[in-house]
Amino acid sequence: MTTESRRGARRSRATTLTDVARLAGVSVATASKALNGRDQVKAETRVRVVEAAERLSFSPNALARGLLQGRSGTVGLITSDLDGRFSIPVLMGAEDAFGTGSVSVFLCDARGDAIRERHHVNALLSQRVDGLIVVGYQTDPRPSLGPDLPVPVVYAYAPSESPDDVSITADNVEAGAMAVEHLLSCGRRRIAHISGDPTYTAAQDRSRGALRALDDAGLSMVGDQTYFGAWTEAWGRAAARLVHRQHPDLDAIFCGSDQIARGVLDTLGELGRDVPRDVSVIGFDNWEAIATGARPALTSIDMNLETIGERAAKRLFRAIDGDAPSGVESVSCRLVTRESTLTLD
Amino acid sequence: MTTESRRGARRSRATTLTDVARLAGVSVATASKALNGRDQVKAETRVRVVEAAERLSFSPNALARGLLQGRSGTVGLITSDLDGRFSIPVLMGAEDAFGTGSVSVFLCDARGDAIRERHHVNALLSQRVDGLIVVGYQTDPRPSLGPDLPVPVVYAYAPSESPDDVSITADNVEAGAMAVEHLLSCGRRRIAHISGDPTYTAAQDRSRGALRALDDAGLSMVGDQTYFGAWTEAWGRAAARLVHRQHPDLDAIFCGSDQIARGVLDTLGELGRDVPRDVSVIGFDNWEAIATGARPALTSIDMNLETIGERAAKRLFRAIDGDAPSGVESVSCRLVTRESTLTLD
């Protein structure tokens, strides 16, 4: 069976707009306008067409709807997030905002490779997507796809370097402050901060927020520094041992990721320190499998990636309608409390 | 700017096939045939068209190429894998098999919801994908999309319930045997098996394979059963405590997932048992972050999801060309050795 005959088979299965037009006694163009809600059609004609469509159970497929409305009802999502941990929640948030049954989001993985990214952008444009969402796996600004694309683009999580683009990102500064404020509200005063790779904007932002919150409370960080290293359990284990040796009186550790926090919990357990009684521990990312598997279960900061996806989708809608204010919008993170931080009584 | 004018802008940027035909002095149809490699075109005509295309830097966009060849150069991948852990590797394997620059794979997330899945299938068909890959997050057979789709479908990881469909899945029976054989080769004889939810086909298959390998060696499982429970660290911790109390002479534990294995490692550490000297531990999934973060780093079974994606892509290619043997093909898993199992000397 050839591709052509398969396509023919597909077309033959559904009632067409032509059938509707014939039954309503109008031209196909008029039927299209009527179903599309344009106001050049008389009310009584519209009623006739809609009734005919209902009698024939006419449900235009997405392509037909797209042709009627000049849109395909699809959005492309380009990511370089190799394990999908960041991009799948953004995709789900975007779909929820668009509304299921009206828009489909197609994800393509560029694997951090500019040539592969360009290829996917071209493929998506060839398929006539109505817009693009570009998702990064870190919050460092990324190169713009440029101003010349034929459809609007919104950058999610990783903002675009260009101020002319529309970007939605997570507010990691506020999140760092949020983590420290939670520890303060638990009665903690000797707070250390162990984080990941310092070349990540996210690591620097969380550290800045934590410093600000401590400063506002008249406190300083234990060790007068953020212990930057790597986004791994191994670094969490090693750094916790180091900080604890230098500052055995610490009563809380804010960790830059849940993986780091898992390592910190291991070391505190080995040192005989009870969590949360002796030391409260808070992670970052709210990576479900990692945070709930921890003992005790890990309090964490959730970056609300679904919300970032929703906001990106809404901005894209506005841009498709020609109303696209540029610049970077930050989405607040949220605290998810579990047993590793408990208020002291 | 309206969608229409944007589309117009896109079309106006590139050289068209009409320009090439004009320069070569042939019809558009002939230019198309010549560039498409069909043999109804005289060799000298083909040379003239190809030279004209080169002079004009004519690179047909994917849609144009698709129209030339009757294909869109895109494949849809439908998944219900909420964290992307299974589907992203399959997607990457499929893209590698298709070859970057020739086919783009579009992923849609159905979230385990049949209505959402149907919507995505329709959206992908409307965008004229050349085929579909349907990826499950477990190996239990899933309902077929049916025989009436206008493009070929290959089921990956979760096979279709219909023997008329083409499915590629992981050989979990063989993998269970592989895990036990590795432990045997490390000199272990008192092997327990702690696994996840027994309603998963994968859990039953791994258990069957493990039993077979033990049987072949004239051994039985410690406790004469697989300790089924949940796919969590908490179950791994609890089950290890239970098994160890009943059978303190065990010398190895095969775990049905890396998360279970992490819990098992925690408990063995608390019980003062050295891994791997006293007890060897092997996980399943080779979930990088979980396996390498463990202490000691975890030996695991990798399901070769990229290979499953590659095979699925190749089958899809054959099906597009009309050559599609139906049935289930199993892909072998592979052992990834780390410190948690070391050969005894």
Side-chain angles (χ1 to χ4, degrees):
Chain A
M1 196 189 215
T2 67
T3 306
E4 284 313 305
S5 65
R6 259 190 251 117
R7 293 240 161 88
R10 183 160 86 235
R11 272 199 296 270
S12 71
R13 261 199 299 287
T15 306
T16 67
L17 187 61
T18 309
D19 303 326
V20 174
R22 195 177 295 131
L23 182 62
V26 299
S27 71
V28 172
T30 300
S32 165
K33 282 177 200 157
L35 291 175
N36 200 18
R38 302 222 190 125
D39 52 11
Q40 306 104 305
V41 183
K42 271 189 277 182
E44 58 179 333
T45 309
R46 186 190 310 281
V47 169
R48 213 158 69 229
V49 172
V50 169
E51 280 175 357
E54 279 174 6
R55 270 180 61 194
L56 294 172
S57 302
F58 174 65
S59 99
N61 67 20
L63 181 62
R65 272 205 310 274
L67 291 173
L68 290 174
Q69 300 166 3
R71 292 189 190 155
S72 71
T74 57
V75 165
L77 186 148
I78 307 263
T79 180
S80 281
D81 169 21
L82 294 186
D83 61 10
R85 198 151 61 84
F86 293 94
S87 51
I88 301 281
V90 171
L91 179 152
M92 288 170 54
E95 279 195 340
D96 287 345
F98 286 129
T100 314
S102 58
V103 170
S104 277
V105 180
F106 296 160
L107 178 149
C108 289
D109 194 338
R111 311 189 202 180
D113 170 4
I115 291 169
R116 196 180 287 268
E117 178 171 280
R118 175 55 59 178
H119 169 66
H120 285 316
V121 167
N122 288 339
L124 289 163
L125 293 177
S126 294
Q127 299 305 98
R128 301 189 165 270
V129 293
D130 297 321
L132 293 172
I133 299 174
V134 180
V135 182
Y137 68 97
Q138 54 178 83
T139 57
D140 294 56
R142 54 151 284 147
S144 174
L145 291 179
D148 297 329
L149 289 178
V151 300
V153 182
V154 174
Y155 298 82
Y157 196 59
S160 164
E161 284 169 353
S162 164
D164 299 331
D165 287 327
V166 181
S167 303
I168 315 285
T169 190
D171 191 337
N172 276 296
V173 177
E174 185 190 66
M178 190 183 285
V180 164
E181 281 156 13
H182 172 63
L183 295 171
L184 294 171
S185 79
C186 297
R188 303 298 155 145
R189 291 295 176 271
R190 300 279 303 142
I191 300 172
H193 182 29
I194 298 175
S195 196
D197 186 335
T199 66
Y200 280 58
T201 301
Q204 295 294 342
D205 285 350
R206 290 166 198 170
S207 174
R208 275 202 295 141
L211 269 173
R212 195 184 69 196
L214 284 166
D215 203 49
D216 287 352
L219 299 169
S220 56
M221 266 181 189
V222 162
D224 287 318
Q225 61 170 305
T226 294
Y227 293 84
F228 289 113
W231 302 108
T232 61
E233 290 187 60
W235 169 243
R237 286 194 289 261
R241 199 164 285 278
L242 173 73
V243 183
H244 191 269
R245 189 161 55 227
Q246 295 172 340
H247 308 279
D249 60 339
L250 62 83
D251 60 16
I253 303 179
F254 165 35
C255 304
S257 78
D258 291 339
Q259 285 172 278
I260 291 171
R262 288 295 299 261
V264 166
L265 287 177
D266 276 358
T267 291
L268 291 173
E270 285 170 14
L271 294 170
R273 305 302 304 268
D274 184 80
V275 176
R277 201 191 60 214
D278 301 335
V279 183
S280 296
V281 175
I282 180 168
F284 206 103
D285 286 339
N286 194 32
W287 187 356
E288 198 75 15
I290 304 281
T292 62
R295 206 171 27 160
L298 192 62
T299 295
S300 190
I301 302 283
D302 189 301
M303 287 193 287
N304 281 329
L305 295 167
E306 289 87 351
T307 306
I308 290 176
E310 280 171 35
R311 296 278 177 85
K314 285 176 181 163
R315 284 295 193 99
L316 202 56
F317 255 147
R318 289 178 62 183
I320 289 168
D321 288 338
D323 168 27
S326 61
V328 179
E329 179 189 343
S330 290
V331 170
S332 290
C333 303
R334 83 188 135 93
L335 178 74
V336 179
T337 312
R338 297 194 184 87
E339 291 94 58
S340 70
T341 59
L342 281 178
T343 308
L344 295 180
D345 293 319
Chain B
M1 200 189 214
T2 68
T3 307
E4 284 313 307
S5 64
R6 258 189 253 116
R7 293 238 162 89
R10 184 160 83 236
R11 271 198 297 269
S12 70
R13 260 201 298 287
T15 306
T16 67
L17 186 62
T18 310
D19 302 328
V20 174
R22 194 176 297 130
L23 183 61
V26 300
S27 70
V28 172
T30 300
S32 164
K33 283 177 199 155
L35 290 175
N36 201 17
R38 302 219 190 126
D39 51 12
Q40 308 104 305
V41 183
K42 271 187 279 185
E44 59 178 330
T45 309
R46 187 191 310 284
V47 168
R48 213 160 65 230
V49 171
V50 170
E51 282 177 356
E54 278 175 6
R55 268 180 62 194
L56 293 172
S57 302
F58 174 65
S59 101
N61 66 22
L63 181 63
R65 271 204 312 273
L67 291 174
L68 288 174
Q69 300 167 2
R71 292 189 190 156
S72 70
T74 57
V75 164
L77 186 149
I78 307 264
T79 180
S80 282
D81 169 22
L82 295 185
D83 61 10
R85 196 150 62 85
F86 293 95
S87 50
I88 301 281
V90 172
L91 181 153
M92 287 169 53
E95 280 195 339
D96 287 346
F98 286 130
T100 313
S102 59
V103 171
S104 275
V105 179
F106 295 160
L107 178 149
C108 288
D109 193 338
R111 309 189 203 181
D113 170 5
I115 292 170
R116 196 180 287 267
E117 178 172 279
R118 175 54 59 178
H119 168 68
H120 285 315
V121 167
N122 288 339
L124 288 163
L125 293 177
S126 293
Q127 298 304 100
R128 302 188 166 270
V129 293
D130 298 321
L132 292 173
I133 299 174
V134 180
V135 182
Y137 68 99
Q138 53 178 85
T139 57
D140 294 56
R142 53 149 287 147
S144 174
L145 290 178
D148 297 329
L149 290 180
V151 299
V153 182
V154 173
Y155 298 82
Y157 196 58
S160 164
E161 285 169 352
S162 165
D164 298 330
D165 287 327
V166 181
S167 303
I168 315 285
T169 190
D171 191 337
N172 276 296
V173 177
E174 185 190 67
M178 191 183 285
V180 164
E181 282 156 12
H182 173 63
L183 295 171
L184 293 171
S185 79
C186 297
R188 303 300 155 145
R189 290 295 177 269
R190 302 279 303 141
I191 300 173
H193 182 28
I194 298 174
S195 195
D197 186 336
T199 67
Y200 280 57
T201 301
Q204 295 293 344
D205 285 350
R206 290 166 199 170
S207 173
R208 276 202 294 140
L211 269 173
R212 194 185 70 195
L214 284 167
D215 203 48
D216 288 350
L219 299 169
S220 57
M221 266 183 190
V222 163
D224 286 319
Q225 63 171 306
T226 294
Y227 294 84
F228 289 113
W231 302 109
T232 61
E233 289 186 60
W235 169 245
R237 286 194 289 260
R241 198 165 286 280
L242 173 73
V243 183
H244 190 270
R245 190 162 52 226
Q246 295 172 340
H247 307 281
D249 59 341
L250 63 82
D251 60 16
I253 302 179
F254 164 34
C255 304
S257 78
D258 291 339
Q259 285 172 279
I260 291 172
R262 288 295 299 259
V264 166
L265 288 178
D266 276 358
T267 291
L268 291 173
E270 284 170 15
L271 293 170
R273 305 301 305 269
D274 184 81
V275 176
R277 202 192 58 215
D278 302 334
V279 183
S280 294
V281 175
I282 179 169
F284 205 104
D285 285 341
N286 195 31
W287 186 355
E288 197 74 15
I290 304 282
T292 61
R295 207 171 26 161
L298 192 62
T299 294
S300 191
I301 301 282
D302 189 301
M303 287 193 287
N304 281 329
L305 295 166
E306 289 87 351
T307 305
I308 290 177
E310 280 171 35
R311 297 278 177 85
K314 284 176 181 161
R315 284 294 194 101
L316 202 57
F317 255 147
R318 289 178 62 183
I320 290 168
D321 288 339
D323 169 26
S326 61
V328 178
E329 179 189 344
S330 289
V331 171
S332 291
C333 302
R334 82 189 135 93
L335 177 74
V336 179
T337 312
R338 297 194 183 88
E339 291 94 58
S340 71
T341 58
L342 281 179
T343 308
L344 295 180
D345 293 318

